[in-house]
Amino acid sequence: MLKAIYPGSFDPVTYGHLDVIRRSAKLVGHLIVGVLNNNAKMPLFSAKERVKMLKDVTKDLPNVEIALFDGLLVDFAKEMEAGVIIRGLRAITDFEYELQMSQTNHKLGPELETIFLTTSIEYSYLSSTTVKEIAAFGGDVGQFVPEEVRKELEQKMNARRRM
Ligand code: PNS
């Protein structure tokens, strides 16, 4: 059975991520969505909150597991016995960073392969960063993220405004 990891920050998960998760889950036997627990990136949502949102939006996918990780992705892949990393490619601007990351991971763990899925065209512009910016200015993010995530974003932004 092919086991793969789809790693990321998911701060928060968007329809673009969900598209890659759904398509990957059809390709592999078991998909682990690896959520990076790295406060250095100063995420808006805690690792626990990001995991909860991902669990909510993937609950209909029986072969998808959500797991936190810190440290090196290759070590996490080894620990989970996964041989493949999946990453989404939106545009040419993603390519340089993704190429560097996959080649570095291949050096650190030669048995690990990275597979890229090009994101569906309707999500090619979408990023968690822009979603957070729209939400911070009170814009409607309903077309970019699932309803559960939209509500969490609204609450988070309201709490920030009260601070
Ligand atoms: O969603 P992101 O922020 O683009 O995901 C980046 C991620 C989590 C895949 C990447 O930062 C990562 O794998 N971090 C773990 C540390 C690591 O293994 N670094 C060496 C490979 S470049």
Side-chain angles (χ1 to χ4, degrees):
M1 181 179 74
L2 185 59
K3 223 183 197 191
I5 292 184
Y6 175 43
S9 302
F10 305 105
D11 184 41
V13 56
T14 67
Y15 278 136
H17 296 127
L18 207 46
D19 171 57
V20 174
I21 293 172
R22 286 188 182 283
R23 287 161 57 210
S24 305
K26 284 188 196 152
L27 295 175
V28 303
H30 189 72
L31 180 72
I32 299 150
V33 179
V35 181
L36 182 68
N37 184 12
N38 181 359
N39 288 333
K41 281 204 174 184
M42 304 237 281
L44 175 66
F45 290 99
S46 70
K48 217 172 131 192
E49 289 170 327
R50 284 177 278 145
V51 166
K52 186 189 171 299
M53 284 185 276
L54 273 160
K55 283 189 174 166
D56 278 352
V57 301
T58 58
K59 57 177 183 277
D60 62 319
L61 301 170
N63 64 335
V64 173
E65 172 188 353
I66 314 296
L68 261 185
F69 81 100
D70 45 31
L72 288 177
L73 178 58
V74 289
D75 292 337
F76 178 58
K78 233 174 257 166
E79 185 195 325
M80 302 304 275
E81 296 177 340
V84 172
I85 295 169
I86 295 179
R87 291 283 290 173
L89 269 183
R90 287 169 302 190
I92 195 75
T93 41
D94 281 343
F95 184 74
E96 210 166 320
Y97 170 63
E98 294 297 336
L99 181 71
Q100 189 185 27
M101 201 159 64
S102 75
Q103 288 174 335
T104 307
N105 284 331
H106 197 68
K107 270 277 175 207
L108 294 173
E111 68 291 345
L112 258 184
E113 294 294 349
T114 302
I115 292 178
F116 295 104
L117 291 190
T118 51
T119 29
S120 299
I121 213 125
E122 62 266 42
Y123 305 123
S124 59
Y125 60 89
L126 193 51
S127 77
S128 297
T129 306
T130 48
V131 166
K132 282 182 282 191
E133 189 168 319
I134 296 164
F137 290 114
D140 180 10
V141 293
Q143 56 182 315
F144 308 128
V145 295
E147 180 56 17
E148 300 92 316
V149 178
R150 191 197 63 74
K151 280 190 198 147
E152 294 291 334
L153 263 168
E154 196 176 71
Q155 279 175 20
K156 186 69 84 177
M157 293 307 173
N158 285 341
R160 289 205 149 188
R161 279 186 206 109
R162 284 196 295 271
M163 272 168 32

